[in-house]
Amino acid sequence: MQVLDRTKIIQEISDLKKTYGDDRSALLPILQDLQETYGYLPDLVMQETAHALEIHPVEVEGVASFYSFFRRKEKQGKYVLRLCQTISCDLAGKVNVARQLENELGIKFGETTKDGMFTLEYTNCLGMCDQGPAMLVNDRLFAKVTPDKVPYIIVDCRRDFLKSDFPKIVPSDVRKSGPILSHDLKPGEGLKAALNHTRAEVIGIIRESGLRGRGGAGFPTAVKWQLAGAAQSDKKYVVCNADEGEPGTFKDRYLLFHHTDMILDGMTIAAYAIGAKKGFFYLRGEYLYLKKYMLEALEIRRKNNLLGKDIAGKKGFDFDIEVRMGAGAYVCGEETALIESLEGYRGEPRNRPPFPVDTGFQKNPTIVNNVETFLDATLICVKGAKWFNEHGTEKSKGTKIFSISGDCEQPGIYELPFGITIAQLLKEVKGENAKAVQIGGASGKCVARKDFNRTIAFEDISSGGSIIVFGPSVDMLKVAINFMEFFVEESCGQCTPCRDGNVKLLEGLKLLEKGRCSVTYLNELMRLAETIQLASKCGLGQSSPNAFLSILENFKSEILGRVPEKA
Amino acid sequence: MAKVLIVDDDPDFVSAVAIVLENAGYKVCKAHSRQEGMQVFDKEQPNLVVLDVMMQEPDDGFVMAQELKARAKVPILMLTSVGQVTGLDFDKDSEMVPVDVFEQKPIMPSVLLERINQLLQ
C-alpha cells in the first residue's frame, strides 16, 4: 500500500499553483500532474487540492469522476494500454487484438496486472482511423496493431522502450493535397500580412472569403470574430479547439504536427482582430504526445516575437498562448463544455444564450475555433478571399480536409472541394463498392447507396471531416450498436433525453441483435430518437441519435427479424 | 428637412419609427437588410441612419456601420435589442462599432427624437 505524506503533497500542489495559477481553472492541469506522480488520485491528494484552490473536496471529486483519464480508486499500471474501440478500428480487427492483449497479460480490460506494470483499457477514437487498430501506451502511439505484434509491444514496455522496433512517431497518410495543404507560407507570414490591416479590415477579409467553421457546424467565422471584437470587455480570449474526438476524424492530428505555425498564426490573427491578450490551445488527452511539439513551437514563436509583447513590431499588440490538455471527454469538443473544462469544471455544456463570444472563459468574450479554421484564416490573410473562393460552392466556400477510413483501398487524409458528391469521393478513395458511408462521425449521418449523388457541403450533408466507408459485408446493426455505445459512454448526463434515451436506444439495438424487436417497438424507439434530437440542449445530445435513425431508416430489412447465432 | 434612413429587419418596427419621425417632420427612407440599406443609402444620401444590429446575420449592423463610416461622415444611431436577446454586452467603439449613439430597444419616442435632434445639430 502506498503511504502518502501530506506535507509533501501540500508542497507539490503549492509548486503546481505557481505554474498553473491559483484559481479554479488550474484544477485540471494540477490533477493531471498529480496523477502522473502518484499513478492515480488518492482521496488525500484530491482533498488537499481542494483546500489549496479553496473549493469543496466534492467539487474535485466531481471533476475527477467526469473525465475518463482520471483514476480515483486504483493505482494505474506503469504502462496504460488504451485500445481504440471506435468503429474504424473495429472494422480493422480490434477484437482479435483485444483478445490477445488479455491472453498475454492475464487480465481483462479495466484491470491492472498484479505487478503494477500494465493497465488495460478501452478508449474512444485515437485519431488513427486509417491505420487501425490503434493503441496508445502512455503517450506512445501504435498503429496497425495485429495480434502477433502484441507480445513485442509488451516486451518493449518491460524494457522501458530502451530498444524498440516500433516507430516513435506514426506518420499520417496524406493522399491528396489542395490549395490549403500545399501552401508555401513561412511562420509569421500570415500574421504579418494581417497586421498590415486594421482589425475591422481583417474581419472584412475573412467575411469576404465566406469561411465557415470547419468543426462541422459551419458558423460563419467572421460573425463570431466580429461579435467578440465588438463586445465590451478588458479581457478576451481565443481558444483553439484541438479536441478532435469525433470518431473517424484524424486530420487535426496531422495539421497540428505539420502545420503548427499556420494554426498558431491563425490564433494570433484572431487575437488581433478581437482584441484578445490570451489564448488557450485545448488539446485532447489522447494527443498528449503532441504537447511537447506544441510547447516547442510556442517557445520558438516567443523568441521570434510572434508571441509576447508588441508582436511583430505592432505596438500594443500583446498575446500569448497556453496549452491545456483535455482528459478524455468527447463532449468537450462542444465549445461551451470546452470552456467549462478550461475553467476547471466538469465538461458539461452550458445553456445558450449567452454565447461564448460574450460570456465565454470566466464570463469574458471568447472565440472558440477549430484547428482547420485557424489554418484557413491564416492562408486567407495572405492569399486573399478570391483565392479561397476559387473552390467550393456558393454557401460552402473553399476546400475541406477529410479524414477517410473504413472499407476503401486508399484511406487517409484528403483535401477536396466542398460540393463533391459522395460517389466522386468514393471513386477518389477507391471505395466504389461501399454499401454505406458515415459522414460526420458518430454524430453524423449514415448515407446509403441510393443517396450517393448527394453532396458534402453545409447546404446538403455537413461534415467536420470524418468519412467512414462501409463495404458490402459490414453488418450495419453492429455499426449502430458501436455508435450508440459510444454515446451512452460519452453523454455528460445533464439532460435526461440524452442520458437515459440513448440507453433505451442501445437496449433496442440489442433486442434487434437477438431478433426480438417488433416493428411497433422499433417505431417507438425512432420517436424517442426524435425526442432526444429535440429535447437535448447541446450538439452532442441533439446529434446522438442521428446514426441510429439513419441506419435504421436505410437498412431496416437487413436489421429486422434476425436469428441469433447459437452460443 | 433632414432625411433619416431606418434599417431594421423587423418591418413593424420600421413602420413605427417611420411614423414617429414623419410626425416630427423628418423625411424617412427604409431598408430591411444590410445590403438593401447600403443601396438605399447610396441612392437617398440621408443625413442620419437609425441602424439595427441583428438582421440576416447577427453582426450585420456592426458591419454596415463600418462600411458607412468608411465612405461617409453620416451620424449613426444604433438601436438594438441585441444585448437583451443574446446577453451580449455592446456599446459604441471607434473601430468595431463606429456609431455615434448606441441605444437599447425599446426606446421612448421622445428619447429617440431627442437623440436624433442632438445628432443632427
Side-chain angles (χ1 to χ4, degrees), chain A residues 407-464:
Chain A
D407 297 324
C408 59
E409 284 177 37
Q410 295 180 346
I413 294 168
Y414 288 75
E415 183 183 348
L416 299 166
F418 269 123
I420 190 169
T421 66
I422 297 165
Q424 285 169 326
L425 185 140
L426 287 172
K427 197 174 173 193
E428 194 84 46
V429 305
K430 298 201 187 310
E432 291 100 324
N433 65 345
K435 77 169 174 187
V437 179
Q438 182 74 20
I439 297 176
S443 62
K445 269 189 177 167
C446 187
V447 182
R449 273 197 94 81
K450 65 180 171 56
D451 292 321
F452 280 2
N453 60 344
R454 289 184 66 182
T455 57
I456 301 174
F458 295 116
E459 61 269 33
D460 192 357
I461 303 177
S462 177
S463 167

Side-chain angles (χ1 to χ4, degrees), chain B residues 102-117:
Chain B
F102 193 101
E103 286 288 348
Q104 295 285 344
K105 288 177 187 171
I107 188 167
M108 291 297 290
S110 56
V111 178
L112 177 65
L113 287 171
E114 192 186 324
R115 297 283 181 274
I116 288 174
N117 284 334

Side-chain angles (χ1 to χ4, degrees), chain A residues 255-275:
Chain A
L255 297 178
L256 291 167
F257 198 71
H258 293 277
H259 299 267
T260 321
D261 267 295
M262 297 306 109
I263 297 158
L264 297 175
D265 262 0
M267 286 181 75
T268 317
I269 292 167
Y272 171 65
I274 72 163

Side-chain angles (χ1 to χ4, degrees), chain A residues 501-517:
Chain A
N502 282 323
V503 172
K504 295 306 287 181
L505 296 188
L506 181 58
E507 285 171 9
L509 290 172
K510 294 282 172 75
L511 282 178
L512 283 161
E513 199 178 26
K514 290 177 190 157
R516 298 185 60 83
C517 182

